[in-house]
Amino acid sequence: QMQLQESGSGLVKPSQTLSLICTVSDGSISNGAYSWSWIRQPPGKGLEWIGYIAHNGHIQSNPSLMTRVTLSVDRSEGQLSLKMTSVTAADTAVYYCARGDYFDLWVLGTLVTVSS
Amino acid sequence: DIQMTQSPSTLSASIGDRVTITCRASQSISSWLAWYQQKPGKAPNLVIYEASTLESGVPSTFSGSGSGTEFSLTISRMQPEDFATYYCQQYSEHPLTFGGGTKVEI
């Protein structure tokens, strides 16, 4: 049975660090057969790719966010992790993790609000 | 970065209409293009990949075409459940990029 979930703080203060974990229990993170991306969507706006962890463990972030973003994977737990430092109100968004190069599986997103 | 430009940004349609959305890439992406449908409060749902391959479970009223820099998504007969926002996405190179979206409203 597949469990898809994100966890992390829904409210983050400006200048602090946003932390999210994406857990997928069907084995598609654990087996290393797929790449997994983080994607975000500000309220009422479009989609922005944050970065990905390739099936071979290679990690790449969007150059627009690269200096603030750290991605990691714990294959034994089937979890992806996103950390974003020095957040501002512009980082308020629904954050998703999604499977593949084109995204055939999306984890229900978490709304993260940046506000004091 | 590859820029993806969708048109129109909003489209009004009626049940039974044929609807076409276009997506243009700023450079050639071969056929490395996907289309998604998104409804309010939900994650996007894959509709088409590799420009013209229908994702499993998606109705055959959806079709995709194009290659290089010009692509289109067509819904041959609009159904009530098809009213949503549609996004294109290129996966030819990183950073992966999305179009700005097309809202199809009744």
Side-chain angles (χ1 to χ4, degrees), chain A residues 56-72:
Chain A
N56 62 4
H58 174 70
I59 297 174
Q60 184 170 348
S61 300
N62 193 321
S64 66
L65 299 169
M66 192 163 47
T67 59
R68 299 195 293 128
V69 164
T70 301
L71 306 180
S72 62

Side-chain angles (χ1 to χ4, degrees), chain A residues 4-40:
Chain A
L4 308 170
Q5 65 182 59
E6 284 189 14
S7 59
S9 176
L11 180 63
V12 183
K13 289 182 167 52
S15 80
Q16 294 192 341
T17 296
L18 175 163
S19 296
L20 291 173
I21 291 176
C22 174
T23 302
V24 179
S25 62
D26 70 341
S28 57
I29 290 179
S30 302
N31 64 19
Y34 300 93
S35 62
W36 281 84
S37 286
W38 288 93
I39 296 159
R40 70 179 181 177

Side-chain angles (χ1 to χ4, degrees), chain B residues 7-87:
Chain B
S7 60
S9 55
T10 306
L11 187 160
S12 295
S14 300
I15 303 297
D17 280 357
R18 180 183 181 90
V19 162
T20 298
I21 299 166
T22 62
C23 180
R24 177 175 296 166
S26 60
Q27 64 190 71
S28 177
I29 57 170
S30 186
S31 295
W32 307 123
L33 183 99
W35 289 97
Y36 302 90
Q37 177 193 72
Q38 187 179 32
K39 297 182 179 179
K42 303 291 188 182
N45 188 51
L46 178 66
V47 176
I48 297 277
Y49 61 94
E50 212 167 323
S52 61
T53 303
L54 196 66
E55 171 69 348
S56 176
V58 174
S60 59
T61 51
F62 287 83
S63 63
S65 65
S67 66
T69 61
E70 300 280 341
F71 301 88
S72 63
L73 173 71
T74 297
I75 308 170
S76 60
R77 288 182 307 278
M78 285 292 294
Q79 299 300 306
E81 60 270 23
D82 300 334
F83 290 94
T85 300
Y86 293 84
Y87 294 93

